[in-house]
Amino acid sequence: MTTISRPRPTATVRPRTSRQPATSPSEWSLASVGEWLRSPVAPYYLVLASAGILTALGLVMVLSASGPRSFVDSGSSYTVFLEQVAFAGVGIVLALVGSRVPVRWWKRMAFPAILLALGLQAAVFTGLGVEFQGNRNWISIAGFSLQPSEFGKLALVVFGAAVLANRRKVIHRIVPATAPFVFPFGLVLVGLVLQGHDLGTAMIMVAIVVGMLWAAGLPAKWFVGVGAVAAGGVAFLAAGSANRMQRIQVWLGDICDSPHAANGGCFQKVHAEYALADGGWWGLGLGASREKWGLLPEPHNDFILAIIGEELGLPGTMAVLLLFAVLAYACFRIVSQSDDPFIRLATAGVMIWLLGQALLNIGSVIGMLPIIGVPLPLVSSGGSALIAALIGVGLLLALARSVPGAAERLKARPSALRRTLAVVPTRRAAGRGSRR
Amino acid sequence: MRTMLVGVMVVLSLFAAQLVRLQGLDAASVSAAAVNGRLEVRAIPAERGTITDVSGAELAVSVERRRIVADPTLVEDYTLKDDEGEVVAEGFAAAAQVVSEVTGADEGPILEALTDPPGEKYTVLVKDVSPQTWQELRARGVRGVSAENVMRRDYPLGEAAAPLVGWMGAGEMPAGGIELVHHDDLTGAPGEAVFEVGSSGERISTGLYQEDPAVPGQDVRLSIDADLQWYAYDAIRERVKDAGALRGYAVVQEVSTGRIVALASYPGFDPADDTQTSEDMRNAAIEDVYEPGSTAKLITAAAAVEEGLVERDTPVEVPVSLPRGGTSFRDVEPHPVQHLTFAGVIAKSSNMGTILVGEKLGEQKLYDWIRKFGLGSPVGHGLPGESAGLVPQPGTAGWSDTTQYTLMFGQGYSGSFLQQVSVFQTIANDGTRLTPSFIQGTVDEEGRYAELPLPTGTRVVSKETADTLTEIMQQIPATGGTAPLAAVDGYHVAGKTSTADRFDETKGGYSGVTSSFIGFAPADDPKYVVGVAVQRPTKIHRFGGIIAGPVFSSVMRYALQKEGVEPAEGPPLEVPLEYDPAKKAPGQGSGVTLGDIAIKDEGRR
């Protein structure tokens, strides 16, 4: 009390800037970051940053990991990489376009998308289909090969979100909740994928369907029954394949007769561990992987995380985990900030897709799951997977822009292009500047 | 939704913990196992030392070559494309076509090596190509085809020096000659490279690489002169062919050092041909033993002079025939009673004259002198396959009644070519024998040349005795001697012919002759001893002077001229070979004639 009336001679001396609140854009503090994270634009930028960094890291690591094999196969170390750059280019353009497409358009595309997905997936079994490494889930059109199931995941998400969004009131009843999302579309799509022997993709699709039903609010009791059926199904499918059983045994039993025989069941698991151990705490350095020299199978594909660990060490692998965590957090934020059921469900779908696939992949590489054979989203090489994932990111960005308050804030901040043009003294730039 | 996020975060945390375990806590031991699994050890062959002649010309040299090998399981996937990228051939056929195109090897065996490989992933396509050829082939990029470094031993002088230099047999093991004797010096220590490899055996460029470099072997410098070696080989080859002989040898030895400057024999063999048997690859000049014949009269003569039994001009009355030991000895050509000086006995190679002088020694002394001149003992030059020869000893089973007489003119015992040459070297070197040697010196891995010290000689006879014998032997390659063809224009030569009955093992008895000539020049200050022996000549003639003399002359002339030895001034020394028995003997009472004091058959036994 007395202190208030007491004169504070020092106050006038103290520089004003130091008493400025921490919200100054030029300064960082825990409080300012926290406040920024609570802002409606945070999910947009978090998605943009995490997906962007993952994609860039993926390109760099695909270049490194594919080099030796690419040289043997084609005489150039850059063949696989340059293809991947082209795919990334296509994917980024589609993602940017997708991020600007209004959400209602996305919604409208739901039905055509699922039909197209089913059509393409069925085409796998026509003359267009191509079998690769025992899986028949490729089609070849005009020299380009395409993996329809990757786009099927996206279609499933959009379709599921659009359908379930209209059934909020009846979600507790099983029939309206599951038709037509599960019966027939989801089931047929998963069935077609399984027919092509791609258990990994089928598992992701089932996860998307189940997760979206969960997010839509289907009562928990149904999941118990469905879960039992799903587990039984996976077990049946796994038991039906000697290869899959071997992988599961390797994972469970730690049996390893001949770690150096390429056809010994634990070859991949052992060499993934070798790669990670070679990298150690700090890594061997970018480009210095040993296991990519034909030792670890699929070094630029399913096992790219092992090569990241080998070359970039623990910081590299931790960064990948962190970036996926950020992506998951951003998705959670979109869901929690939005009231629109389509946005909430579509976000949940994309999150289940990307995060679920990432967890399956990472778990396989580090020996905590049987080797399922799914690529690491955004990072692994593979055109269809990368383009589909980037379109998924585009959808996420579009959804993030639709969070209440986000669009306004994003518009308020002029784009880099606009800011650059603003300094050019033309009538057009001046007009734009004055529009708000 | 919150549940889902929490679930994801929990799983990611578990993954992070597992990564810390894999990459941090457990990494060291797993990484060690990983590196172990990738390591490959490859031997780096050590370069074998070069064998050179006295002036550094290469006689045996290792050259780096490439052996083209392939992994058929990889070659299978190879496709050969033309410039437009059209596939023109595939698999084994394509690879065989390219390898054949580049190396010039036949396509058939290459294809066969691929279709029927000795090991599943290894087969040799071309045994030996130059590194340049391999680089060309490598540029073609045939999948699964690689090269191994191999060292090939080349012998620039080929057959001419093969028996002496030796050769490398299978498995990089030496199989004769200098290669065998100096194997330890020539062989370096192979090195070793340890490095990480990828799945198809390629070295991981960023991986571990440790090299323990190979230490190259020492170079060995021979006392051989490559030019002279070839010249001698050529000369003996021509003579053996012309004379229809079994084989022949020629040697050039430096008198004052005992070093062998050339040692050739014909027929030789091609050291690079690995299909021949060891029987074809003998060093006949070293390994053969035979009865030396008249060149051995030099030993009897030297002993007699050294013991003071005779002098150069001592008169000897050579009868028509000489009964000794139950048989009757004659000379090669029948003649009436001859009045020869001791010089004449040796110059005309009279068997009976030699017996009359030699029997004064007694059998034990004769035997001792023969051994003293080195017969019956290895010469000690160190080349493999040398035989000591066989000299019967008095009082043993090998000693018959006639033995002591035949020994005097070089029959009834055996010895090697170099033993005989060594006798002449002894006389040429004023009575001191030097062990023949082939090595001039060695060059270690740092290039330091160390000359081998000269052997200390063994005095056998006095300088005076040696001089006397040299004077006598100068009469032989001269008009009136037994070997005018052995004369060398412009030089005074001392030497001795031999036409020995040859013991033929295949026939179990005497058959044919060994015709030889051994001598040295210049007579007053001998530089070289040259020996030539031809076994079983069937054409031209059988006498040593006629068969071996011209070869001796040619080789000796070449050697002397190459070395720049001054030609002799004035005519060669002439000593009386005959005497007049009616002439008064010098230093004796009046009325005593040379005929009276002459050594003559006094009817022993």
Side-chain angles (χ1 to χ4, degrees):
Chain A
M1 315 306 133
T2 49
T3 52
I4 289 173
S5 59
R6 205 154 93 195
R8 296 170 68 187
T10 52
T12 50
V13 183
R14 202 175 284 169
R16 278 185 68 111
T17 47
S18 71
R19 302 195 70 189
Q20 288 267 325
T23 47
S24 158
S26 63
E27 274 184 57
W28 283 68
S29 75
L30 209 57
S32 72
V33 172
E35 186 177 319
W36 182 82
L37 280 179
R38 280 189 295 277
S39 79
V41 290
Y44 180 82
Y45 286 116
L46 289 177
V47 169
L48 195 62
S50 59
I53 296 172
L54 281 170
T55 309
L57 177 70
L59 286 176
V60 172
M61 294 314 297
V62 165
L63 168 60
S64 172
S66 67
R69 180 61 196 264
S70 177
F71 183 82
V72 170
D73 288 347
S74 68
S76 162
S77 300
Y78 302 105
T79 310
V80 173
F81 169 67
L82 290 176
E83 279 178 13
Q84 189 69 1
V85 168
F87 293 138
V90 171
I92 287 167
V93 167
L94 290 176
L96 289 176
V97 170
S99 72
R100 296 299 164 126
V101 169
V103 170
R104 60 178 188 283
W105 286 27
W106 276 105
K107 221 175 192 170
R108 260 181 231 156
M109 281 188 282
F111 211 72
I114 197 76
L115 288 178
L116 183 65
L118 283 170
L120 289 175
Q121 197 63 46
V124 162
F125 302 101
T126 68
L128 296 171
V130 178
E131 191 164 317
F132 179 70
Q133 290 184 353
N135 290 357
R136 191 176 179 94
N137 44 24
W138 291 81
I139 57 175
S140 177
I141 300 169
F144 288 94
S145 46
L146 184 83
Q147 199 175 3
S149 55
E150 291 295 338
F151 297 97
K153 295 172 192 168
L154 177 68
L156 202 58
V157 168
V158 176
F159 178 70
V163 170
L164 294 175
N166 295 331
R167 304 213 166 162
R168 282 172 79 194
K169 302 273 166 53
V170 291
I171 197 68
H172 55 279
R173 282 159 53 199
I174 189 68
V175 174
T178 54
F181 180 40
V182 180
F183 307 102
F185 290 101
L187 210 58
V188 171
L189 190 59
V190 170
L192 285 171
V193 170
L194 278 177
Q195 196 61 36
H197 304 294
D198 189 353
L199 183 59
T201 302
M203 282 171 72
I204 298 293
M205 285 180 168
V206 169
I208 290 172
V209 170
V210 173
M212 288 182 75
L213 286 172
W214 171 274
L218 184 70
K221 60 178 179 182
W222 291 107
F223 290 99
V224 180
V226 170
V229 171
V234 168
F236 173 76
L237 290 169
S241 155
N243 182 30
R244 286 174 194 146
M245 277 313 285
Q246 190 184 30
R247 287 178 176 199
I248 291 168
Q249 279 170 354
V250 165
W251 170 61
L252 287 176
D254 218 18
I255 48 156
C256 200
D257 301 330
S258 47
H260 300 298
N263 50 5
C266 51
F267 186 78
Q268 280 183 314
K269 176 182 147 93
V270 166
H271 278 273
E273 274 178 24
Y274 279 179
L276 289 168
D278 280 335
W281 292 103
W282 301 109
L284 294 169
L286 193 60
S289 162
R290 320 283 197 250
E291 290 289 324
K292 69 183 178 184
W293 289 75
L295 296 166
L296 174 67
E298 305 290 332
H300 57 286
N301 209 329
D302 294 359
F303 282 83
I304 196 161
L305 185 77
I307 302 298
I308 292 175
E310 191 176 15
E311 298 197 344
L312 305 179
L314 202 55
T317 49
M318 287 300 165
V320 172
L321 295 191
L322 188 68
L323 287 166
F324 277 108
V326 168
L327 193 60
Y329 174 73
C331 292
F332 168 71
R333 283 292 311 283
I334 298 171
V335 172
S336 62
Q337 281 182 358
S338 178
D339 296 328
D340 183 318
F342 176 79
I343 293 176
R344 291 167 62 107
L345 284 167
T347 306
V350 175
M351 174 179 165
I352 293 159
W353 166 22
L354 296 182
L355 265 297
Q357 194 169 325
L359 294 183
L360 276 186
N361 174 276
I362 296 170
S364 296
V365 172
I366 65 177
M368 293 186 78
L369 292 174
I371 292 170
I372 291 156
V374 293
L376 188 60
L378 299 172
V379 180
S380 289
S381 88
S384 299
L386 181 63
I387 292 172
L390 282 171
I391 297 174
V393 170
L395 170 58
L396 267 188
L397 289 173
L399 297 169
R401 290 173 71 88
S402 313
V403 167
E408 294 72 23
R409 286 280 292 273
L410 287 167
K411 279 202 182 112
R413 188 189 163 96
S415 75
L417 179 68
R418 235 176 263 161
R419 268 177 289 157
T420 311
L421 289 175
V423 300
V424 183
T426 62
R427 275 181 58 195
R428 216 173 141 224
R432 274 206 186 172
S434 64
R435 200 188 287 172
R436 59 187 172 116
Chain B
M1 197 61 211
R2 186 172 292 274
T3 330
M4 226 180 262
L5 180 70
V6 170
V8 166
M9 293 303 168
V10 167
V11 173
L12 284 175
S13 307
L14 285 174
F15 285 4
Q18 168 79 344
L19 279 168
V20 169
R21 187 176 79 77
L22 288 175
Q23 293 194 263
L25 308 178
D26 290 355
S29 61
V30 177
S31 178
V35 171
N36 255 345
R38 293 191 295 262
L39 280 189
E40 183 166 310
V41 180
R42 195 167 290 173
I44 304 172
E47 197 178 332
R48 191 173 172 84
T50 304
I51 300 175
T52 68
D53 86 339
V54 69
S55 51
E58 288 162 348
L59 297 178
V61 60
S62 287
V63 290
E64 211 181 314
R65 306 285 291 179
R66 297 285 183 277
R67 178 183 298 144
I68 297 180
V69 298
D71 177 348
T73 60
L74 294 177
V75 176
E76 250 172 359
D77 301 335
Y78 173 66
T79 52
L80 176 61
K81 292 176 181 159
D82 63 11
D83 295 339
E84 278 93 54
E86 293 287 309
V87 175
V88 292
E90 284 182 327
F92 293 161
Q97 186 188 330
V98 174
V99 172
S100 165
E101 235 171 70
V102 176
T103 63
D106 280 344
E107 209 173 314
I110 298 173
L111 195 58
E112 200 174 307
L114 282 168
T115 48
D116 188 19
E120 193 197 342
K121 300 186 100 181
Y122 180 86
T123 185
V124 176
L125 301 186
V126 188
K127 269 171 79 175
D128 182 14
V129 301
S130 71
Q132 292 93 313
T133 307
W134 162 240
Q135 288 306 328
E136 282 169 37
L137 181 58
R138 199 165 92 140
R140 300 290 294 266
V142 182
R143 188 178 156 84
V145 172
S146 57
E148 293 173 349
N149 285 12
V150 289
M151 288 296 199
R152 192 182 72 192
R153 199 68 168 160
D154 275 358
Y155 301 93
L157 229 48
E159 282 191 31
L164 171 64
V165 174
W167 72 101
M168 297 301 285
E172 299 299 297
M173 290 308 289
I178 302 293
E179 293 274 31
L180 179 61
V181 179
H182 287 270
H183 182 54
D184 289 346
D185 297 336
L186 288 165
T187 315
E192 201 177 72
V194 179
F195 50 88
E196 291 180 62
V197 294
S199 61
S200 49
E202 75 280 30
R203 184 162 89 78
I204 297 177
S205 51
T206 51
L208 171 117
Y209 184 82
Q210 281 174 351
E211 185 182 303
D212 178 12
V215 180
Q218 289 186 10
D219 291 348
V220 172
R221 186 180 292 187
L222 300 187
S223 53
I224 297 295
D225 179 316
D227 295 339
L228 195 54
Q229 173 74 23
W230 198 87
Y231 191 90
Y233 170 76
D234 190 48
I236 193 70
R237 177 178 62 181
E238 291 307 314
R239 201 58 180 165
V240 167
K241 282 183 183 168
D242 292 348
L246 191 62
R247 57 178 164 265
Y249 343 104
V251 66
V252 181
Q253 186 183 21
E254 199 173 44
V255 169
S256 60
T257 61
R259 283 174 176 152
I260 306 288
V261 187
L263 176 69
S265 56
Y266 182 86
F269 55 84
D270 178 3
D273 179 1
D274 54 8
T275 61
Q276 49 203 337
T277 64
S278 59
E279 188 54 36
D280 304 326
M281 301 173 86
R282 299 172 64 240
N283 187 353
I286 296 291
E287 296 174 30
D288 279 3
V289 287
Y290 57 93
E291 300 193 15
S294 307
T295 49
K297 282 176 184 155
L298 193 59
I299 298 171
T300 315
V305 173
E306 184 75 6
E307 297 275 352
L309 300 175
V310 285
E311 289 172 6
R312 191 187 77 189
D313 297 332
T314 302
V316 179
E317 185 188 298
V318 184
V320 174
S321 78
L322 185 62
R324 286 289 186 275
T327 183
S328 214
F329 290 96
R330 288 171 186 280
D331 284 334
V332 174
E333 287 178 59
H335 59 76
V337 174
Q338 279 180 325
H339 301 285
L340 300 177
T341 62
F342 177 61
V345 166
I346 301 302
K348 293 186 183 298
S349 202
S350 163
N351 290 346
M352 288 183 287
T354 308
I355 290 172
L356 287 172
V357 173
E359 68 186 358
K360 289 175 176 291
L361 285 165
E363 48 186 34
Q364 185 58 46
K365 259 192 183 153
L366 175 70
Y367 173 79
D368 290 346
W369 273 106
I370 290 173
R371 293 301 308 268
K372 212 170 165 187
F373 268 98
L375 283 97
S377 315
V379 172
H381 48 63
L383 282 189
E386 190 200 357
S387 165
L390 194 66
V391 182
Q393 200 173 350
T396 61
W399 191 270
S400 73
D401 289 346
T402 56
T403 300
Q404 72 156 312
Y405 306 109
T406 60
L407 288 188
M408 291 172 198
F409 54 87
Q411 302 274 183
Y413 74 100
S414 64
S416 68
F417 181 50
L418 286 187
Q419 280 174 344
Q420 288 300 305
V421 171
S422 195
V423 172
F424 285 75
Q425 184 272 329
T426 307
I427 300 302
N429 195 33
D430 297 336
T432 302
R433 188 176 75 228
L434 296 170
T435 306
S437 70
F438 295 92
I439 311 296
Q440 193 84 7
T442 56
V443 182
D444 67 17
E445 63 265 32
E446 279 157 42
R448 285 182 299 240
Y449 174 69
E451 180 129 354
L452 219 63
L454 287 173
T456 51
T458 313
R459 178 155 293 281
V460 182
V461 293
S462 67
K463 180 174 179 347
E464 290 71 31
T465 302
D467 286 348
T468 303
L469 290 167
T470 304
E471 286 170 11
I472 295 170
M473 282 194 290
Q474 282 189 68
Q475 312 312 310
I476 296 169
T479 331
T482 51
L485 293 175
V488 179
D489 280 350
Y491 295 96
H492 298 167
V493 176
K496 180 77 192 79
T497 59
S498 165
T499 307
D501 288 328
R502 183 171 176 276
F503 188 84
D504 194 328
E505 280 182 15
T506 56
K507 294 186 174 165
Y510 288 102
S511 166
V513 294
T514 302
S515 307
S516 64
F517 189 92
I518 307 174
F520 49 87
D524 5 313
D525 182 17
K527 174 72 184 161
Y528 293 119
V529 181
V530 171
V532 176
V534 175
Q535 298 284 9
R536 209 195 66 197
T538 57
K539 291 180 210 163
I540 303 174
H541 209 280
R542 55 203 299 269
F543 282 1
I546 295 166
I547 292 289
V551 180
F552 170 88
S553 168
S554 159
V555 172
M556 181 63 98
R557 192 190 61 245
Y558 185 82
L560 292 174
Q561 287 176 350
K562 186 165 191 293
E563 192 59 25
V565 176
E566 295 266 325
E569 286 173 14
L573 176 76
E574 281 190 39
V575 300
L577 302 181
E578 295 179 0
Y579 66 94
D580 180 359
K583 207 174 162 192
K584 179 188 174 300
Q588 302 283 336
S590 64
V592 180
T593 62
L594 287 174
D596 292 336
I597 64 160
I599 298 171
K600 49 182 79 114
D601 182 15
E602 279 154 10
R604 270 202 190 194
R605 283 178 216 175

